[in-house]
Amino acid sequence: MNSTDVIDCLPEERQRSILALLTEQGRVVASELARKFNTSEDTIRRDLRELAAAGLCKRVYGGALPVSPASGSLTEREAQNPERKQALAACLVKLIKPGQVVFIDAGSTNLLVAQALPDDLNITVVTNAPSIAAVLAERENINLILIGGSINRNTGAALGAQSLRDAANIRPDLYILGVCALDVEMGLTAFDLEDAEFKRLVASQAKSVVTAITNDKFETTAPFRIAGTDILTALVAEADADEQLLKSLCGPDVQIHRAV
């Protein structure tokens, strides 16, 4: 079935075609789908609700977005695009200056950032991720602070009331923010409510905020909003990330750095 044709079809066929369009276009709009499939917007909204309930898309106002690929556990995410993430990490560490207090939160790319920190960089690293703390524990040039709390196994982070209390007393020079998805309307999003709350708190207190994002997270979304891209000082993108897309997502005030 050609997803560009105006068609009458069964609900299952229509939903498969909607998913195909979502993959092709990066987003779908309910009013446009209603015209394309010669049906009502209520019918399309029901289709999108059912697809979202099955975890196949994310409902947003007026339509739907793809679900971010970063929905799995930390172990699963570590196995996704490791070479691309290593390139992002190598680019990001160049933004860190000696003497800074750097908050590195949980995430598969951020773990690689910790591994890529130069031996001669004298900094203080704060983290709520035990895996990142383990990488840095024996590094003599790094003063390490581990935020406590209950460990969320999916995010690999300490979250909850204790972690929020601890983080509230820290004003980092640089916050390396791990995000699950980035969309122009939804902004920066995460798959866990407490994780999004924690990230929002640290970002609000940091002097500068930077994130590194693989191409497959652009124009996707996750259930819980962290903030808009206006909180970012800089974004590290892959070498082949679309220039116009980056401008539309980030605006003129966010510095774009490209991994080699």
Side-chain angles (χ1 to χ4, degrees), residues 83-95:
E83 293 181 355
R84 290 175 174 267
K85 292 177 181 178
Q86 286 171 352
L88 291 174
C91 181
L92 195 154
V93 296
K94 296 176 183 177
L95 305 180

Side-chain angles (χ1 to χ4, degrees), residues 44-129:
I44 294 298
R45 283 193 286 267
R46 183 170 61 249
D47 286 337
L48 296 178
R49 284 196 299 269
E50 292 176 359
L51 291 170
L56 299 174
C57 73
K58 169 66 178 176
R59 285 295 316 279
V60 295
Y61 181 77
L65 293 171
V67 175
S68 166
S71 59
S73 67
L74 179 60
T75 301
E76 292 170 337
R77 286 181 279 121
E78 286 175 358
Q80 297 172 348
N81 303 315
E83 293 181 355
R84 290 175 174 267
K85 292 177 181 178
Q86 286 171 352
L88 291 174
C91 181
L92 195 154
V93 296
K94 296 176 183 177
L95 305 180
I96 302 173
K97 300 176 181 178
Q100 285 187 320
V101 175
V102 181
F103 199 115
I104 308 177
D105 76 9
S108 57
T109 303
N110 284 0
L111 179 59
L112 294 172
V113 170
Q115 294 172 353
L117 289 173
D119 290 333
D120 60 350
L121 191 62
N122 295 306
I123 59 174
T124 294
V125 171
V126 186
T127 186
N128 64 328

Side-chain angles (χ1 to χ4, degrees), residues 17-232:
S17 294
I18 289 172
L19 287 176
L21 285 165
L22 193 57
T23 301
E24 293 169 11
Q25 301 173 2
R27 63 174 60 237
V28 290
V29 177
S31 58
E32 295 175 358
L33 292 174
R35 289 192 295 271
K36 182 179 293 291
F37 292 103
N38 193 29
T39 189
S40 68
E41 288 191 39
D42 285 341
T43 297
I44 294 298
R45 283 193 286 267
R46 183 170 61 249
D47 286 337
L48 296 178
R49 284 196 299 269
E50 292 176 359
L51 291 170
L56 299 174
C57 73
K58 169 66 178 176
R59 285 295 316 279
V60 295
Y61 181 77
L65 293 171
V67 175
S68 166
S71 59
S73 67
L74 179 60
T75 301
E76 292 170 337
R77 286 181 279 121
E78 286 175 358
Q80 297 172 348
N81 303 315
E83 293 181 355
R84 290 175 174 267
K85 292 177 181 178
Q86 286 171 352
L88 291 174
C91 181
L92 195 154
V93 296
K94 296 176 183 177
L95 305 180
I96 302 173
K97 300 176 181 178
Q100 285 187 320
V101 175
V102 181
F103 199 115
I104 308 177
D105 76 9
S108 57
T109 303
N110 284 0
L111 179 59
L112 294 172
V113 170
Q115 294 172 353
L117 289 173
D119 290 333
D120 60 350
L121 191 62
N122 295 306
I123 59 174
T124 294
V125 171
V126 186
T127 186
N128 64 328
S131 60
I132 289 175
V135 167
L136 301 177
E138 301 300 323
R139 298 282 293 274
E140 294 183 359
N141 63 315
I142 290 176
N143 178 34
L144 179 63
I145 300 172
L146 178 60
I147 297 292
S150 179
I151 302 299
N152 181 305
R153 288 182 173 83
N154 281 336
T155 63
L159 299 173
Q162 181 181 339
S163 65
L164 289 171
R165 286 195 300 270
D166 290 349
N169 295 314
I170 299 171
R171 301 292 187 272
D173 296 301
L174 176 64
Y175 176 31
I176 301 176
L177 168 66
V179 301
C180 298
L182 173 56
D183 173 68
V184 68
E185 294 181 4
M186 295 292 290
L188 305 157
T189 52
F191 279 98
D192 184 273
L193 176 61
E194 289 187 330
D195 190 34
E197 181 182 15
F198 183 88
K199 294 173 188 295
R200 192 160 48 246
L201 170 67
V202 180
S204 70
Q205 300 182 144
K207 293 180 182 177
S208 58
V209 181
V210 61
T211 190
I213 305 182
T214 50
N215 290 344
D216 56 357
K217 293 182 181 179
F218 292 131
E219 293 190 297
T220 68
T221 189
F224 302 104
R225 191 172 189 267
I226 301 167
T229 56
D230 57 330
I231 69 164
L232 295 177

